[in-house]
Amino acid sequence: MIRFYQNPARVFLKERFGLRLNEYAEELPVREPFGLEKFRERDVRDCIFQQLQQALPVSTAEPLLRAQGLLPHGKPGELVFRKEADVTEEFFNRIQPLAVWQRAPFSLTEGDFYLSGTLNKLDVTAGRTLYELGKLSYWNWLDAWLHHLALNTLPESICPHVTLIHTPEASYQLEPVSDAREQLKQLLAWYWQGLQAPLPFFPKSGLNLMEQKEPEVAKIMSTWEGSGNFAGECEKPEYRLLYRDSNPLETHEAEFLAIAHGVFGQMLSVRK
């Protein structure tokens, strides 16, 4: 269900037609890299964080990262490592003491649906506690939010109904949700709808929309269409296939607004 909301169009094409779309072609770099590849800082910081958790010096992470090919060669790699090590070490010291995690089973019957799984990273004194070592994207927020709704259907004696998210840049708290079961029921209904026909929910644009003071689709069109600096969400192969000659944010505006509000709007209302 989380994977579905992270990319409803891709799940629809896979489940209904057996299509598996690749987002990026594998290409050799045209020049020697002098910095980290895109989105790789999370992997680098995670390796350093693990060494710190084991009470090992930060320097022990560098040969591991070089063996994985995550650092540029030579001096540029040393500089990148030092920069990421400083960020990670400062973050590690700031969040002490680390949470002692536990797990708890989760199950919910709602009409014809049976939803089950395991809730991990539970701190029985503080709530579900996450350490995210990179920038939080819509992908991360959807994962945290659906887990948070599930958490809020459990007895508070198991774990407080709070999710804490710590990153090197900031810390967030998702507060208790009184109608978590009803929200999950609605998400299940949209999930079922999205397995039968493309669901007009576009998560990257949807999060940007709900973060506006006055949500208007026209204000976030650059997120969908892109600009000279970044590719738009519409460039994903599943959207190019499903919406070849149309803009679904315009043709399905009312539905898109309703679902974006039901997912991200609800989340932002309890995010501090």
Side-chain angles (χ1 to χ4, degrees):
M1 186 173 167
I2 291 171
R3 283 196 300 272
F4 170 81
Y5 276 98
Q6 289 170 333
N7 197 319
R10 183 166 293 191
V11 171
F12 168 74
L13 290 170
K14 176 177 178 293
E15 295 298 326
R16 299 298 292 177
F17 301 103
L19 294 178
R20 296 178 180 272
L21 302 176
N22 293 321
E23 189 161 350
Y24 302 107
E26 291 291 334
E27 297 181 356
L28 292 173
V30 295
R31 61 180 183 271
E32 187 75 18
F34 288 94
L36 289 177
E37 294 180 24
K38 195 174 182 181
F39 307 124
R40 284 298 194 179
E41 71 273 1
R42 185 186 297 267
D43 297 327
V44 171
R45 293 174 184 177
D46 184 61
C47 179
I48 298 169
F49 192 89
Q50 289 180 36
Q51 299 303 102
L52 291 171
Q53 279 185 300
Q54 299 174 55
L56 295 172
V58 168
S59 59
T60 60
E62 186 171 2
L64 298 175
L65 292 166
R66 289 198 179 280
Q68 296 176 64
L70 292 175
L71 294 177
H73 293 293
K75 193 64 176 180
E78 293 177 21
L79 297 174
V80 167
F81 175 76
R82 191 64 261 164
K83 175 187 173 184
E84 298 303 332
D86 288 345
V87 170
T88 308
E89 196 165 20
E90 189 280 330
F91 174 61
F92 182 82
N93 292 331
R94 173 163 61 85
I95 57 176
Q96 297 300 315
L98 297 181
V100 178
W101 284 335
Q102 298 187 26
R103 299 157 64 93
F106 157 79
S107 64
L108 176 69
T109 300
E110 194 61 62
D112 294 330
F113 294 101
Y114 176 68
L115 189 63
S116 66
T118 300
L119 288 169
N120 58 8
K121 301 181 180 178
L122 302 182
D123 182 338
V124 295
T125 61
R128 190 164 188 261
T129 304
L130 310 177
Y131 303 124
E132 295 288 352
L133 293 158
K135 183 179 179 181
L136 295 175
S137 71
Y138 68 88
W139 191 273
N140 306 107
W141 283 118
L142 284 166
D143 184 277
W145 177 237
L146 268 70
H147 275 94
H148 184 67
L149 290 176
L151 173 67
N152 275 259
T153 67
L154 296 180
E156 282 195 89
S157 58
I158 295 177
C159 184
H161 290 174
V162 172
T163 297
L164 304 170
I165 307 171
H166 300 291
T167 78
E169 289 74 31
S171 292
Y172 302 88
Q173 177 170 308
L174 298 177
E175 298 190 330
V177 180
S178 59
D179 62 343
R181 180 181 285 267
E182 288 71 23
Q183 289 196 47
L184 283 169
K185 182 179 180 180
Q186 177 61 77
L187 292 175
L188 284 165
W190 282 327
Y191 168 76
W192 188 240
Q193 177 186 335
L195 292 181
Q196 301 171 72
L199 187 75
F201 175 60
F202 314 98
K204 184 177 181 180
S205 298
L207 178 58
N208 191 352
L209 178 69
M210 286 297 112
E211 287 180 329
Q212 306 293 319
K213 289 184 178 179
E214 296 180 4
E216 294 179 19
V217 169
K219 294 179 179 178
I220 55 94
M221 202 58 72
S222 62
T223 304
W224 175 255
E225 296 177 342
S227 71
N229 299 322
F230 60 89
E233 190 173 15
C234 71
E235 292 300 315
K236 289 181 176 289
E238 55 271 21
Y239 297 137
R240 293 204 305 269
L241 180 61
L242 290 170
Y243 307 104
R244 294 169 189 160
D245 301 312
S246 64
N247 184 332
L249 272 63
E250 296 175 339
T251 58
H252 299 79
E253 182 175 349
E255 283 184 280
F256 171 54
L257 275 166
I259 299 172
H261 181 269
V263 180
F264 289 123
Q266 295 288 352
M267 181 196 76
L268 292 173
S269 71
V270 299
R271 188 180 79 176
K272 307 298 180 185

